[in-house]
């Protein structure tokens, strides 16, 4: 009896045999376990590139899309909200829906100090572009887990609400003083407990802001 991965490889070989110019793959790995899906997705991408075959790959799994796609379209209510590279979807979302949908992150409240800085519960953050809004404009700031750095020297304190051990890293959910929460991805060698208060700082190279 063939395993799921073997069946998928045979199905792909049959689809590629006629040497199509374009191949549609609709959720091809949905019935496989996570580890096999990742391995098979990498194999399929390599086969398609070696054959010079273009593919339209449909999936609900963002990780699969990031592994497979050179260009990725995010769809919502029947419309493509953004068609872009994986790194741009993650760090340069074109709208609030894409920011919420792609990857992990939190939108926290802020207020524009000037075109290049915003005041937040995590202090004043310098932005990497000039925004056209007036000083004092209420905004939401997108922060990814790798934007929040645990720092013993920081005066900005947060309380740990939750933690998820991921092997080499631990994902912490942190409560801010105003009631917002943010995520921080830290080395698992930095071991902190739920309920513990820690210092944090913002180290964001791609800061995205949406007007409220």
């Amino acid at each position: 009896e063939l395993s799921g991965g073997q069946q998928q490889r045979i199905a792909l070989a049959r689809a590629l045999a006629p040497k199509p110019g374009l191949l549609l793959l609709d959720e091809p790995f949905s019935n496989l376990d996570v580890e096999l899906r990742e391995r098979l997705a990498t194999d399929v991408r390599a086969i398609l590139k070696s054959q010079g075959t273009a593919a339209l790959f449909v999936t609900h799994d963002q990780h699969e899309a990031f592994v497979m796609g050179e260009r990725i379209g995010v769809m919502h209510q029947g419309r493509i909200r953004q068609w872009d590279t994986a790194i741009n979807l993650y760090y340069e979302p074109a709208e609030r829906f894409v920011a919420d949908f792609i990857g992990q992150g939190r939108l926290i409240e802020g207020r524009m100090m000037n075109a290049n800085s915003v005041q937040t519960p995590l202090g004043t953050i310098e932005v990497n572009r000039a925004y056209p809004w007036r000083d004092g404009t209420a905004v939401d700031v997108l922060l990814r887990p790798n934007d929040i750095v645990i720092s013993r020297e920081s005066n900005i304190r947060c309380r740990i609400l939750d933690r998820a051990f991921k092997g080499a890293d631990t994902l912490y959910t942190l409560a801010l003083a105003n009631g917002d929460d943010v995520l921080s991805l830290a080395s698992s060698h930095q071991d902190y407990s739920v309920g513990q208060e820690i210092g944090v700082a913002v180290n964001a190279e791609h800061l995205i802001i949406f007007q409220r």
Side-chain angles (χ1 to χ4, degrees), residues 24-36:
L24 173 63
L25 299 169
D26 188 2
E27 302 262 11
F29 312 137
S30 58
N31 60 336
L32 304 179
D33 61 70
V34 174
E35 183 178 349
L36 182 57

Side-chain angles (χ1 to χ4, degrees), residues 17-77:
K19 297 184 178 181
L22 176 65
L23 184 64
L24 173 63
L25 299 169
D26 188 2
E27 302 262 11
F29 312 137
S30 58
N31 60 336
L32 304 179
D33 61 70
V34 174
E35 183 178 349
L36 182 57
R37 288 169 73 170
E38 293 181 2
R39 189 167 67 248
L40 195 55
T42 303
D43 291 344
V44 169
R45 177 184 167 88
I47 292 170
L48 291 171
K49 289 182 76 68
S50 69
Q51 296 292 319
T53 301
L56 183 62
F57 186 89
V58 180
T59 179
H60 287 85
D61 188 304
Q62 292 181 28
H63 184 71
E64 275 185 11
F66 288 166
V67 170
M68 292 289 295
E70 293 183 354
R71 306 285 292 186
I72 301 169
V74 177
M75 293 194 68
H76 179 58
Q77 295 181 340

Side-chain angles (χ1 to χ4, degrees), residues 115-127:
N116 301 101
S117 63
V118 57
Q119 181 64 37
T120 76
L122 291 167
T124 300
I125 305 174
E126 299 297 321
V127 302

Side-chain angles (χ1 to χ4, degrees), residues 69-73 83-86 88:
E70 293 183 354
R71 306 285 292 186
I72 301 169
W83 180 265
D84 219 325
T85 63
N88 282 347

Side-chain angles (χ1 to χ4, degrees), residues 16 38 53 150 181 209:
L16 287 171
E38 293 181 2
T53 301
I150 296 174
D181 64 83
I209 299 175

Side-chain angles (χ1 to χ4, degrees), residues 110-187:
R111 195 166 293 276
M112 298 301 298
M113 302 289 290
N114 52 57
N116 301 101
S117 63
V118 57
Q119 181 64 37
T120 76
L122 291 167
T124 300
I125 305 174
E126 299 297 321
V127 302
N128 60 328
R129 72 197 66 193
Y131 284 90
W133 307 316
R134 293 185 301 175
D135 297 357
T137 298
V139 296
D140 289 321
V141 182
L142 174 65
L143 293 172
R144 300 293 193 189
N146 51 318
D147 294 331
I148 308 298
V149 180
I150 296 174
S151 170
R152 295 179 180 178
E153 292 75 28
S154 176
N155 294 323
I156 301 171
R157 313 300 292 180
C158 295
R159 182 171 54 86
I160 297 176
L161 296 177
D162 197 9
R163 49 170 288 167
F165 181 74
K166 296 181 176 293
D169 303 301
T170 300
L171 183 66
Y172 292 97
T173 303
L174 309 174
L176 307 183
N178 72 333
D180 285 343
D181 64 83
V182 293
L183 301 174
S184 178
L185 189 65
S187 167

